[in-house]
């Protein structure tokens, strides 16, 4: 009987916190985060360890942001969206480039003193195990 009661009490917190860690915003709000669209200079290191630099444009659509990343003259398109994560609902930008292989990005939004975005991302090829990095600098 004591074991059944202990399992029931230990299982209660697990049931109470069953909601997802991150939730995706239903639509793009141009007012928040304000000023996100535009041109960015980017630098990165892909999951294989190769460094690169290029340009990125971000445009608004109804449910996602449209991305076009150009590195060494090659353009790759993608989508991005905002997710709210954890109990504090921390704003996270999640993106996907549709190259071969596809690349997933999980990004933190930051700003410099002139109110330009500085977005830093962890990257991973779909199905891969190694991480890369990518940083976007707005206003270039």
């Amino acid at each position: 009987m004591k074991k059944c009661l202990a399992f029931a009490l230990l299982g209660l917190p697990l049931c109470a916190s069953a909601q997802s860690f991150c939730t995706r915003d239903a639509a793009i709000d141009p007012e928040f985060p304000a000023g996100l669209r535009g041109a960015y200079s980017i630098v990165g290191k892909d999951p294989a360890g190769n460094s690169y630099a290029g340009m990125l444009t971000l445009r608004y659509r109804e449910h996602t942001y449209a991305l076009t990343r150009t590195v060494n003259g090659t353009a790759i398109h993608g989508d991005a969206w905002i997710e709210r994560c954890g109990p504090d609902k921390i704003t996270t930008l999640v993106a996907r480039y549709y190259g071969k292989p596809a690349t997933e990005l999980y990004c933190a939004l930051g700003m410099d003193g002139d109110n330009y975005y500085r977005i830093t991302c962890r990257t991973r090829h779909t199905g891969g195990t190694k991480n890369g990095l990518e940083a976007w600098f707005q206003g270039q």
Side-chain angles (χ1 to χ4, degrees), residues 36 40 108-121 135-138:
L36 194 58
Y40 294 80
L109 302 174
M111 293 189 119
D112 63 19
D114 292 326
N115 292 328
Y116 288 118
Y117 280 99
R118 233 180 301 174
I119 299 172
T120 54
C121 308
W136 307 354
F137 300 92
Q138 190 179 36

Side-chain angles (χ1 to χ4, degrees), residues 42-50 52 69 95-97 102-107 119-126 128-136:
I42 62 169
V43 294
K45 181 180 79 168
D46 67 22
N50 303 309
Y52 59 89
R69 180 179 82 167
R96 183 170 292 125
Y97 295 134
T103 303
E104 300 167 345
L105 297 88
Y106 298 93
C107 308
I119 299 172
T120 54
C121 308
R122 297 249 181 221
T123 67
R124 181 178 288 188
H125 292 311
T126 303
T129 58
K130 294 184 179 179
N131 289 325
L133 300 169
E134 188 167 290
W136 307 354

Side-chain angles (χ1 to χ4, degrees), residues 17-108:
S17 64
Q19 87 181 77
S20 175
F21 185 75
C22 295
T23 56
R24 183 174 174 170
D25 283 0
I28 297 301
D29 181 358
E31 303 278 328
F32 185 83
L36 194 58
R37 79 172 160 199
Y40 294 80
S41 294
I42 62 169
V43 294
K45 181 180 79 168
D46 67 22
N50 303 309
S51 299
Y52 59 89
M55 295 296 296
L56 178 117
T57 58
L58 186 144
R59 298 181 323 277
Y60 296 137
R61 291 196 293 212
E62 186 175 349
H63 297 288
T64 62
Y65 298 101
L67 304 175
T68 303
R69 180 179 82 167
T70 305
V71 174
N72 295 326
T74 302
I76 297 176
H77 299 283
D79 294 313
W81 55 91
I82 298 291
E83 290 187 359
R84 312 285 177 186
C85 298
D88 293 331
K89 303 294 182 200
I90 296 169
T91 302
T92 303
L93 182 76
V94 179
R96 183 170 292 125
Y97 295 134
Y98 297 108
K100 299 228 188 266
T103 303
E104 300 167 345
L105 297 88
Y106 298 93
C107 308

